Amino acid sequence: MKHYGHFIGGEWISSTDTIDSINPASAKTWATFAAGDAQTADHAIKTAHAAFTNEWREFNPEQRADVIDRLATALETHWESLVAAEVSDNGKRIAEVRGQFAGLHTWFRHFANEARNMTPEAQTNGVPGVESTLHHLPYGVVVAITPWNSPLMILAWKLAPALAAGNTVVVKPSEMASASTLEFAKLAFEAGVPAGVLNVVTGYGHTVGEALVRHPLTRKVTFTGSDFGGRKVAEAAANGVVPCVLELGGKSAQVVFADADLDNTVNGILSGIFLSNGQTCVAGSRLIVEKTIKNALTQRLLDVAGGLRLGDPMDAETQIGPLANEAHLRKVTEMVATAQSEGARCLLDGRETAQGHEGYYFGPTIFDGVTQNMQLWREEVFGPVLAITSFETEAEAVSLANDSDYGLAGGVWTQDPRKGARVAAQIDAGTVYVNHYRSVDPNVPIGGIKLSGYGRELGPNAIKDFLQTKSIWIGSAPVAVPFP
Ligand code: NAD
């Protein structure tokens, strides 16, 4: 059994209050995390603030880039040592975790290079005899709050640009899955990230998480999680007039036209919904398919999804691992029961395929006849449950896709490029893929609209989003100041 403390100022800080991390594949506790409180939050934020005002502020962009590069090199060499911690915590399949971790260093390299290439911007003004200059300054202490589904990759998207911009960071990973973040923080410290620049506090969101957001020295918050958690964080941040980025949930639509390449589409729909057992924010959970091909596409989805192998997430051959925790299994089970009671037709029942498996297993599930008033259409399951409906006209397809309180992602499948572009432009979402699904790249922003949140991560403005501008006006000679 592993016992993790908080990682603050380059030191492990233990706690008498702890949280069990239960391995979802076995339903057995494999580690404990410290359960932080307001005092822990105060210590972490003050430590990060001291690092910001002393050593870290003296680093120029080139020196920060060197530190981030050293961290990238450490990750490139040692990423494999972090894998087991994440699989044990959240039950994500080892093949997926390896895929994410083998590329973790690239996010850091990218933003180290961006920091090196930041050039001062010229500023002009129309006031005679007065020059103005534009400065980009880090916020100071940034609080980064992450969910349990992909803790380390999501952290990399926040941390790399935040550090490149010159901030210091306090991370609050999910109470369900903190181990990989803690192991990573230790690795970063050993690689040369100065003490206090990256700190990790563990515990519950409504206690230590909220205390971090409310702390008077917190200057910016970046949050990824549910819309419920996002609202709480935004309320707490508003109290201190602290800006936040909210990356929240989704109910993403996959629109399939009759002229789509079906082989490609079947793969896209299946990986869109069943990767990570449906526990991804961009999960394409609503399939909106042209009526003439609905039966053929549904049958092909059932043929593949029905044969996916459930198993131990540590086994590289496993295709479907467990759900991340018991409460989540209960929630998914209840939502599937509600879908049935509301009249949706269950074509593939993940409760049946999960029978006989220890741990929190739930197999791929497919519903037909899902209507817009049903819970399954409106609410995020965050599990392996696909809702199918059909359309007859393009306008109807767009209208169905946009009938959601969320707006994170969407997919369009057609071999007509003009139709693909036209429909993608009309779908209300932060990201839309055409004949493709789920790519991420440091140059391309991600984020949502409506209940999926606000602000963006990654993309060309990722570092700037962690900087504030300051204008300085300098009169070269006595200049008349208009009065009154
Ligand atoms: P969650 O909202 O329950 O928790 C996320 C994090 O917020 C955890 O660290 C939690 O402890 C913390 N938290 C909760 N309440 C808080 C509060 N009042 N103050 C401060 N911190 C608080 O979400 P989850 O169940 O861990 O993650 C699943 C959700 O995350 C899904 O809705 C999923 O769609 C979303 N998600 C979104 C993205 C994206 O990029 N948009 C990516 C991954 C996951």
Side-chain angles (χ1 to χ4, degrees), residues 4-49:
Y4 289 100
H6 310 287
F7 194 77
I8 302 173
E11 289 175 8
W12 291 107
I13 313 273
S14 62
S15 160
T16 45
D17 284 342
T18 59
I19 298 171
D20 287 349
S21 178
I22 297 169
N23 183 331
S26 62
K28 295 195 169 66
T29 303
W30 78 279
T32 64
F33 305 131
D37 54 17
Q39 243 180 322
T40 325
D42 184 57
H43 176 45
I45 298 282
K46 283 183 174 155
T47 303
H49 181 72

mmCIF file of all heavy atoms in Angstrom, residues 4-49:
data_model
loop_
_atom_site.group_PDB
_atom_site.id
_atom_site.type_symbol
_atom_site.label_atom_id
_atom_site.label_comp_id
_atom_site.label_asym_id
_atom_site.label_seq_id
_atom_site.Cartn_x
_atom_site.Cartn_y
_atom_site.Cartn_z
ATOM 1 N N TYR A 4 0.526 8.564 0.053
ATOM 2 C CA TYR A 4 1.007 9.814 -0.533
ATOM 3 C C TYR A 4 0.644 10.985 0.368
ATOM 4 O O TYR A 4 -0.488 11.088 0.846
ATOM 5 C CB TYR A 4 0.364 10.054 -1.897
ATOM 6 C CG TYR A 4 0.839 9.130 -2.989
ATOM 7 C CD1 TYR A 4 0.079 8.024 -3.371
ATOM 8 C CD2 TYR A 4 2.027 9.381 -3.670
ATOM 9 C CE1 TYR A 4 0.498 7.192 -4.402
ATOM 10 C CE2 TYR A 4 2.457 8.551 -4.694
ATOM 11 C CZ TYR A 4 1.693 7.464 -5.053
ATOM 12 O OH TYR A 4 2.105 6.641 -6.073
ATOM 13 N N GLY A 5 1.607 11.913 0.541
ATOM 14 C CA GLY A 5 1.319 13.192 1.191
ATOM 15 C C GLY A 5 1.078 14.257 0.130
ATOM 16 O O GLY A 5 1.032 13.965 -1.068
ATOM 17 N N HIS A 6 0.925 15.502 0.560
ATOM 18 C CA HIS A 6 0.912 16.631 -0.381
ATOM 19 C C HIS A 6 2.360 16.861 -0.830
ATOM 20 O O HIS A 6 3.308 16.504 -0.115
ATOM 21 C CB HIS A 6 0.414 17.902 0.300
ATOM 22 C CG HIS A 6 -0.877 17.743 1.051
ATOM 23 N ND1 HIS A 6 -2.083 17.604 0.430
ATOM 24 C CD2 HIS A 6 -1.136 17.708 2.390
ATOM 25 C CE1 HIS A 6 -3.050 17.486 1.333
ATOM 26 N NE2 HIS A 6 -2.497 17.543 2.540
ATOM 27 N N PHE A 7 2.546 17.498 -1.974
ATOM 28 C CA PHE A 7 3.903 17.837 -2.418
ATOM 29 C C PHE A 7 3.977 19.363 -2.522
ATOM 30 O O PHE A 7 3.479 19.974 -3.459
ATOM 31 C CB PHE A 7 4.205 17.176 -3.768
ATOM 32 C CG PHE A 7 5.669 17.203 -4.108
ATOM 33 C CD1 PHE A 7 6.555 16.320 -3.503
ATOM 34 C CD2 PHE A 7 6.171 18.123 -5.022
ATOM 35 C CE1 PHE A 7 7.915 16.349 -3.802
ATOM 36 C CE2 PHE A 7 7.521 18.152 -5.339
ATOM 37 C CZ PHE A 7 8.394 17.262 -4.721
ATOM 38 N N ILE A 8 4.569 19.975 -1.491
ATOM 39 C CA ILE A 8 4.570 21.440 -1.399
ATOM 40 C C ILE A 8 6.005 21.918 -1.166
ATOM 41 O O ILE A 8 6.678 21.430 -0.242
ATOM 42 C CB ILE A 8 3.655 21.924 -0.236
ATOM 43 C CG1 ILE A 8 2.220 21.421 -0.435
ATOM 44 C CG2 ILE A 8 3.684 23.444 -0.118
ATOM 45 C CD1 ILE A 8 1.275 21.705 0.730
ATOM 46 N N GLY A 9 6.457 22.842 -1.986
ATOM 47 C CA GLY A 9 7.811 23.398 -1.808
ATOM 48 C C GLY A 9 8.894 22.336 -1.914
ATOM 49 O O GLY A 9 9.923 22.419 -1.232
ATOM 50 N N GLY A 10 8.665 21.331 -2.724
ATOM 51 C CA GLY A 10 9.666 20.265 -2.906
ATOM 52 C C GLY A 10 9.707 19.261 -1.771
ATOM 53 O O GLY A 10 10.631 18.454 -1.690
ATOM 54 N N GLU A 11 8.693 19.298 -0.889
ATOM 55 C CA GLU A 11 8.685 18.352 0.250
ATOM 56 C C GLU A 11 7.353 17.612 0.327
ATOM 57 O O GLU A 11 6.304 18.165 -0.031
ATOM 58 C CB GLU A 11 8.853 19.119 1.568
ATOM 59 C CG GLU A 11 10.249 19.663 1.742
ATOM 60 C CD GLU A 11 10.342 20.536 3.001
ATOM 61 O OE1 GLU A 11 9.364 20.571 3.786
ATOM 62 O OE2 GLU A 11 11.383 21.169 3.155
ATOM 63 N N TRP A 12 7.426 16.403 0.844
ATOM 64 C CA TRP A 12 6.196 15.653 1.119
ATOM 65 C C TRP A 12 5.648 16.099 2.464
ATOM 66 O O TRP A 12 6.379 16.153 3.454
ATOM 67 C CB TRP A 12 6.470 14.144 1.165
ATOM 68 C CG TRP A 12 6.829 13.567 -0.183
ATOM 69 C CD1 TRP A 12 8.062 13.168 -0.584
ATOM 70 C CD2 TRP A 12 5.949 13.342 -1.288
ATOM 71 N NE1 TRP A 12 8.004 12.705 -1.887
ATOM 72 C CE2 TRP A 12 6.714 12.803 -2.341
ATOM 73 C CE3 TRP A 12 4.578 13.548 -1.499
ATOM 74 C CZ2 TRP A 12 6.166 12.465 -3.578
ATOM 75 C CZ3 TRP A 12 4.033 13.195 -2.724
ATOM 76 C CH2 TRP A 12 4.825 12.663 -3.755
ATOM 77 N N ILE A 13 4.371 16.419 2.504
ATOM 78 C CA ILE A 13 3.720 16.824 3.757
ATOM 79 C C ILE A 13 2.621 15.814 4.046
ATOM 80 O O ILE A 13 1.650 15.709 3.283
ATOM 81 C CB ILE A 13 3.066 18.226 3.610
ATOM 82 C CG1 ILE A 13 4.019 19.222 2.945
ATOM 83 C CG2 ILE A 13 2.494 18.710 4.924
ATOM 84 C CD1 ILE A 13 4.949 19.955 3.838
ATOM 85 N N SER A 14 2.751 15.112 5.162
ATOM 86 C CA SER A 14 1.749 14.074 5.436
ATOM 87 C C SER A 14 0.548 14.657 6.174
ATOM 88 O O SER A 14 0.560 15.814 6.610
ATOM 89 C CB SER A 14 2.379 12.939 6.241
ATOM 90 O OG SER A 14 2.811 13.473 7.464
ATOM 91 N N SER A 15 -0.477 13.844 6.304
ATOM 92 C CA SER A 15 -1.706 14.295 6.966
ATOM 93 C C SER A 15 -2.314 13.107 7.705
ATOM 94 O O SER A 15 -2.186 11.964 7.258
ATOM 95 C CB SER A 15 -2.671 14.798 5.894
ATOM 96 O OG SER A 15 -3.978 14.821 6.384
ATOM 97 N N THR A 16 -2.965 13.397 8.829
ATOM 98 C CA THR A 16 -3.620 12.288 9.529
ATOM 99 C C THR A 16 -4.940 11.934 8.837
ATOM 100 O O THR A 16 -5.387 10.796 8.882
ATOM 101 C CB THR A 16 -3.885 12.651 11.001
ATOM 102 O OG1 THR A 16 -4.416 13.960 11.027
ATOM 103 C CG2 THR A 16 -2.623 12.572 11.834
ATOM 104 N N ASP A 17 -5.551 12.950 8.198
ATOM 105 C CA ASP A 17 -6.776 12.671 7.427
ATOM 106 C C ASP A 17 -6.382 12.161 6.061
ATOM 107 O O ASP A 17 -5.604 12.827 5.351
ATOM 108 C CB ASP A 17 -7.592 13.950 7.229
ATOM 109 C CG ASP A 17 -8.327 14.324 8.487
ATOM 110 O OD1 ASP A 17 -8.474 13.452 9.348
ATOM 111 O OD2 ASP A 17 -8.714 15.504 8.597
ATOM 112 N N THR A 18 -6.928 11.015 5.678
ATOM 113 C CA THR A 18 -6.554 10.449 4.376
ATOM 114 C C THR A 18 -7.789 9.997 3.587
ATOM 115 O O THR A 18 -8.875 9.853 4.141
ATOM 116 C CB THR A 18 -5.596 9.239 4.539
ATOM 117 O OG1 THR A 18 -6.252 8.257 5.322
ATOM 118 C CG2 THR A 18 -4.276 9.637 5.170
ATOM 119 N N ILE A 19 -7.549 9.797 2.303
ATOM 120 C CA ILE A 19 -8.599 9.306 1.399
ATOM 121 C C ILE A 19 -8.067 8.030 0.753
ATOM 122 O O ILE A 19 -6.921 8.013 0.287
ATOM 123 C CB ILE A 19 -8.886 10.352 0.293
ATOM 124 C CG1 ILE A 19 -9.405 11.664 0.902
ATOM 125 C CG2 ILE A 19 -9.866 9.814 -0.744
ATOM 126 C CD1 ILE A 19 -9.509 12.818 -0.081
ATOM 127 N N ASP A 20 -8.878 6.994 0.721
ATOM 128 C CA ASP A 20 -8.452 5.754 0.057
ATOM 129 C C ASP A 20 -8.576 5.898 -1.448
ATOM 130 O O ASP A 20 -9.589 6.398 -1.952
ATOM 131 C CB ASP A 20 -9.356 4.581 0.476
ATOM 132 C CG ASP A 20 -9.072 4.149 1.908
ATOM 133 O OD1 ASP A 20 -8.059 4.609 2.475
ATOM 134 O OD2 ASP A 20 -9.870 3.361 2.446
ATOM 135 N N SER A 21 -7.564 5.454 -2.172
ATOM 136 C CA SER A 21 -7.704 5.330 -3.623
ATOM 137 C C SER A 21 -7.981 3.867 -3.934
ATOM 138 O O SER A 21 -7.159 2.993 -3.646
ATOM 139 C CB SER A 21 -6.437 5.782 -4.351
ATOM 140 O OG SER A 21 -6.636 5.586 -5.735
ATOM 141 N N ILE A 22 -9.161 3.633 -4.497
ATOM 142 C CA ILE A 22 -9.582 2.246 -4.741
ATOM 143 C C ILE A 22 -9.313 1.889 -6.200
ATOM 144 O O ILE A 22 -9.723 2.627 -7.105
ATOM 145 C CB ILE A 22 -11.075 2.096 -4.393
ATOM 146 C CG1 ILE A 22 -11.236 2.377 -2.892
ATOM 147 C CG2 ILE A 22 -11.595 0.705 -4.749
ATOM 148 C CD1 ILE A 22 -12.640 2.531 -2.418
ATOM 149 N N ASN A 23 -8.611 0.788 -6.389
ATOM 150 C CA ASN A 23 -8.336 0.328 -7.750
ATOM 151 C C ASN A 23 -9.650 -0.195 -8.358
ATOM 152 O O ASN A 23 -10.231 -1.161 -7.873
ATOM 153 C CB ASN A 23 -7.291 -0.805 -7.693
ATOM 154 C CG ASN A 23 -6.899 -1.274 -9.077
ATOM 155 O OD1 ASN A 23 -7.683 -1.202 -10.012
ATOM 156 N ND2 ASN A 23 -5.674 -1.747 -9.187
ATOM 157 N N PRO A 24 -10.135 0.476 -9.418
ATOM 158 C CA PRO A 24 -11.460 0.104 -9.936
ATOM 159 C C PRO A 24 -11.517 -1.281 -10.566
ATOM 160 O O PRO A 24 -12.609 -1.822 -10.745
ATOM 161 C CB PRO A 24 -11.759 1.180 -10.995
ATOM 162 C CG PRO A 24 -10.566 2.018 -11.121
ATOM 163 C CD PRO A 24 -9.521 1.609 -10.136
ATOM 164 N N ALA A 25 -10.359 -1.855 -10.891
ATOM 165 C CA ALA A 25 -10.376 -3.195 -11.488
ATOM 166 C C ALA A 25 -10.588 -4.271 -10.433
ATOM 167 O O ALA A 25 -11.090 -5.360 -10.727
ATOM 168 C CB ALA A 25 -9.070 -3.441 -12.239
ATOM 169 N N SER A 26 -10.208 -3.960 -9.168
ATOM 170 C CA SER A 26 -10.321 -4.981 -8.129
ATOM 171 C C SER A 26 -11.254 -4.560 -6.998
ATOM 172 O O SER A 26 -11.599 -5.360 -6.140
ATOM 173 C CB SER A 26 -8.930 -5.234 -7.522
ATOM 174 O OG SER A 26 -8.465 -4.032 -6.918
ATOM 175 N N ALA A 27 -11.638 -3.277 -7.001
ATOM 176 C CA ALA A 27 -12.434 -2.693 -5.913
ATOM 177 C C ALA A 27 -11.682 -2.741 -4.577
ATOM 178 O O ALA A 27 -12.292 -2.735 -3.514
ATOM 179 C CB ALA A 27 -13.806 -3.357 -5.804
ATOM 180 N N LYS A 28 -10.338 -2.781 -4.634
ATOM 181 C CA LYS A 28 -9.531 -2.820 -3.394
ATOM 182 C C LYS A 28 -8.677 -1.560 -3.293
ATOM 183 O O LYS A 28 -8.184 -1.042 -4.306
ATOM 184 C CB LYS A 28 -8.625 -4.049 -3.403
ATOM 185 C CG LYS A 28 -9.406 -5.341 -3.368
ATOM 186 C CD LYS A 28 -8.504 -6.516 -3.003
ATOM 187 C CE LYS A 28 -9.323 -7.757 -2.699
ATOM 188 N NZ LYS A 28 -10.044 -8.286 -3.853
ATOM 189 N N THR A 29 -8.485 -1.100 -2.053
ATOM 190 C CA THR A 29 -7.661 0.086 -1.841
ATOM 191 C C THR A 29 -6.208 -0.226 -2.172
ATOM 192 O O THR A 29 -5.671 -1.240 -1.728
ATOM 193 C CB THR A 29 -7.765 0.530 -0.356
ATOM 194 O OG1 THR A 29 -9.139 0.765 -0.064
ATOM 195 C CG2 THR A 29 -6.966 1.795 -0.098
ATOM 196 N N TRP A 30 -5.581 0.629 -2.977
ATOM 197 C CA TRP A 30 -4.176 0.377 -3.318
ATOM 198 C C TRP A 30 -3.259 1.494 -2.792
ATOM 199 O O TRP A 30 -2.057 1.317 -2.672
ATOM 200 C CB TRP A 30 -3.997 0.231 -4.828
ATOM 201 C CG TRP A 30 -3.992 1.553 -5.557
ATOM 202 C CD1 TRP A 30 -5.087 2.274 -5.922
ATOM 203 C CD2 TRP A 30 -2.847 2.311 -5.951
ATOM 204 N NE1 TRP A 30 -4.703 3.434 -6.541
ATOM 205 C CE2 TRP A 30 -3.325 3.488 -6.573
ATOM 206 C CE3 TRP A 30 -1.460 2.134 -5.858
ATOM 207 C CZ2 TRP A 30 -2.470 4.473 -7.090
ATOM 208 C CZ3 TRP A 30 -0.630 3.122 -6.367
ATOM 209 C CH2 TRP A 30 -1.126 4.270 -6.972
ATOM 210 N N ALA A 31 -3.851 2.661 -2.439
ATOM 211 C CA ALA A 31 -3.033 3.786 -1.961
ATOM 212 C C ALA A 31 -3.905 4.706 -1.131
ATOM 213 O O ALA A 31 -5.137 4.611 -1.175
ATOM 214 C CB ALA A 31 -2.455 4.557 -3.147
ATOM 215 N N THR A 32 -3.254 5.581 -0.366
ATOM 216 C CA THR A 32 -4.021 6.630 0.320
ATOM 217 C C THR A 32 -3.427 7.982 -0.041
ATOM 218 O O THR A 32 -2.229 8.107 -0.300
ATOM 219 C CB THR A 32 -4.001 6.470 1.857
ATOM 220 O OG1 THR A 32 -2.651 6.636 2.322
ATOM 221 C CG2 THR A 32 -4.551 5.127 2.286
ATOM 222 N N PHE A 33 -4.313 8.991 -0.062
ATOM 223 C CA PHE A 33 -3.892 10.374 -0.309
ATOM 224 C C PHE A 33 -4.188 11.203 0.936
ATOM 225 O O PHE A 33 -5.166 10.943 1.642
ATOM 226 C CB PHE A 33 -4.677 10.994 -1.476
ATOM 227 C CG PHE A 33 -4.594 10.200 -2.744
ATOM 228 C CD1 PHE A 33 -5.749 9.887 -3.452
ATOM 229 C CD2 PHE A 33 -3.370 9.780 -3.246
ATOM 230 C CE1 PHE A 33 -5.685 9.151 -4.622
ATOM 231 C CE2 PHE A 33 -3.293 9.053 -4.416
ATOM 232 C CZ PHE A 33 -4.449 8.736 -5.112
ATOM 233 N N ALA A 34 -3.368 12.229 1.145
ATOM 234 C CA ALA A 34 -3.639 13.166 2.241
ATOM 235 C C ALA A 34 -4.905 13.950 1.907
ATOM 236 O O ALA A 34 -5.095 14.362 0.764
ATOM 237 C CB ALA A 34 -2.458 14.112 2.388
ATOM 238 N N ALA A 35 -5.750 14.150 2.901
ATOM 239 C CA ALA A 35 -6.961 14.953 2.701
ATOM 240 C C ALA A 35 -6.674 16.358 3.224
ATOM 241 O O ALA A 35 -6.665 16.591 4.437
ATOM 242 C CB ALA A 35 -8.141 14.326 3.436
ATOM 243 N N GLY A 36 -6.420 17.275 2.333
ATOM 244 C CA GLY A 36 -6.043 18.636 2.733
ATOM 245 C C GLY A 36 -7.219 19.432 3.259
ATOM 246 O O GLY A 36 -8.380 19.063 3.066
ATOM 247 N N ASP A 37 -6.900 20.542 3.911
ATOM 248 C CA ASP A 37 -7.933 21.445 4.426
ATOM 249 C C ASP A 37 -7.507 22.890 4.125
ATOM 250 O O ASP A 37 -6.548 23.123 3.384
ATOM 251 C CB ASP A 37 -8.155 21.221 5.920
ATOM 252 C CG ASP A 37 -6.843 21.337 6.707
ATOM 253 O OD1 ASP A 37 -5.857 21.902 6.167
ATOM 254 O OD2 ASP A 37 -6.790 20.857 7.850
ATOM 255 N N ALA A 38 -8.188 23.844 4.748
ATOM 256 C CA ALA A 38 -7.897 25.252 4.466
ATOM 257 C C ALA A 38 -6.455 25.611 4.840
ATOM 258 O O ALA A 38 -5.802 26.415 4.160
ATOM 259 C CB ALA A 38 -8.884 26.142 5.228
ATOM 260 N N GLN A 39 -5.961 24.975 5.898
ATOM 261 C CA GLN A 39 -4.573 25.250 6.323
ATOM 262 C C GLN A 39 -3.570 24.754 5.278
ATOM 263 O O GLN A 39 -2.579 25.421 4.993
ATOM 264 C CB GLN A 39 -4.307 24.492 7.622
ATOM 265 C CG GLN A 39 -4.013 25.398 8.777
ATOM 266 C CD GLN A 39 -3.761 24.562 10.024
ATOM 267 O OE1 GLN A 39 -4.411 23.529 10.247
ATOM 268 N NE2 GLN A 39 -2.833 25.010 10.834
ATOM 269 N N THR A 40 -3.842 23.565 4.726
ATOM 270 C CA THR A 40 -2.972 23.029 3.672
ATOM 271 C C THR A 40 -2.980 23.975 2.473
ATOM 272 O O THR A 40 -1.943 24.252 1.863
ATOM 273 C CB THR A 40 -3.476 21.647 3.186
ATOM 274 O OG1 THR A 40 -4.038 20.934 4.261
ATOM 275 C CG2 THR A 40 -2.378 20.869 2.520
ATOM 276 N N ALA A 41 -4.195 24.436 2.111
ATOM 277 C CA ALA A 41 -4.320 25.335 0.958
ATOM 278 C C ALA A 41 -3.508 26.602 1.207
ATOM 279 O O ALA A 41 -2.770 27.076 0.327
ATOM 280 C CB ALA A 41 -5.796 25.678 0.723
ATOM 281 N N ASP A 42 -3.612 27.134 2.414
ATOM 282 C CA ASP A 42 -2.893 28.371 2.765
ATOM 283 C C ASP A 42 -1.379 28.152 2.632
ATOM 284 O O ASP A 42 -0.668 28.985 2.060
ATOM 285 C CB ASP A 42 -3.274 28.770 4.194
ATOM 286 C CG ASP A 42 -2.646 30.094 4.588
ATOM 287 O OD1 ASP A 42 -2.886 31.087 3.873
ATOM 288 O OD2 ASP A 42 -1.899 30.117 5.595
ATOM 289 N N HIS A 43 -0.903 27.023 3.142
ATOM 290 C CA HIS A 43 0.530 26.733 3.080
ATOM 291 C C HIS A 43 0.990 26.617 1.620
ATOM 292 O O HIS A 43 2.023 27.167 1.219
ATOM 293 C CB HIS A 43 0.820 25.440 3.856
ATOM 294 C CG HIS A 43 2.239 24.999 3.793
ATOM 295 N ND1 HIS A 43 3.309 25.868 3.960
ATOM 296 C CD2 HIS A 43 2.785 23.776 3.549
ATOM 297 C CE1 HIS A 43 4.441 25.198 3.817
ATOM 298 N NE2 HIS A 43 4.148 23.931 3.568
ATOM 299 N N ALA A 44 0.203 25.914 0.803
ATOM 300 C CA ALA A 44 0.609 25.697 -0.599
ATOM 301 C C ALA A 44 0.615 27.007 -1.380
ATOM 302 O O ALA A 44 1.554 27.301 -2.132
ATOM 303 C CB ALA A 44 -0.344 24.694 -1.266
ATOM 304 N N ILE A 45 -0.431 27.799 -1.192
ATOM 305 C CA ILE A 45 -0.516 29.059 -1.963
ATOM 306 C C ILE A 45 0.591 30.008 -1.516
ATOM 307 O O ILE A 45 1.242 30.662 -2.360
ATOM 308 C CB ILE A 45 -1.907 29.726 -1.777
ATOM 309 C CG1 ILE A 45 -3.009 28.814 -2.309
ATOM 310 C CG2 ILE A 45 -1.935 31.101 -2.437
ATOM 311 C CD1 ILE A 45 -3.197 28.764 -3.809
ATOM 312 N N LYS A 46 0.837 30.076 -0.207
ATOM 313 C CA LYS A 46 1.902 30.985 0.266
ATOM 314 C C LYS A 46 3.270 30.512 -0.236
ATOM 315 O O LYS A 46 4.142 31.322 -0.566
ATOM 316 C CB LYS A 46 1.881 31.089 1.789
ATOM 317 C CG LYS A 46 0.747 31.994 2.272
ATOM 318 C CD LYS A 46 0.763 32.166 3.765
ATOM 319 C CE LYS A 46 -0.291 33.191 4.188
ATOM 320 N NZ LYS A 46 -0.731 32.965 5.572
ATOM 321 N N THR A 47 3.468 29.190 -0.295
ATOM 322 C CA THR A 47 4.734 28.656 -0.815
ATOM 323 C C THR A 47 4.889 29.017 -2.293
ATOM 324 O O THR A 47 5.965 29.451 -2.739
ATOM 325 C CB THR A 47 4.762 27.112 -0.643
ATOM 326 O OG1 THR A 47 4.576 26.812 0.746
ATOM 327 C CG2 THR A 47 6.066 26.512 -1.126
ATOM 328 N N ALA A 48 3.816 28.848 -3.052
ATOM 329 C CA ALA A 48 3.867 29.183 -4.490
ATOM 330 C C ALA A 48 4.078 30.686 -4.682
ATOM 331 O O ALA A 48 4.802 31.119 -5.585
ATOM 332 C CB ALA A 48 2.579 28.730 -5.170
ATOM 333 N N HIS A 49 3.457 31.474 -3.816
ATOM 334 C CA HIS A 49 3.596 32.932 -3.918
ATOM 335 C C HIS A 49 5.039 33.354 -3.612
ATOM 336 O O HIS A 49 5.607 34.213 -4.301
ATOM 337 C CB HIS A 49 2.625 33.602 -2.945
ATOM 338 C CG HIS A 49 2.677 35.094 -3.005
ATOM 339 N ND1 HIS A 49 2.175 35.809 -4.072
ATOM 340 C CD2 HIS A 49 3.191 36.012 -2.145
ATOM 341 C CE1 HIS A 49 2.369 37.097 -3.869
ATOM 342 N NE2 HIS A 49 2.988 37.254 -2.704
#
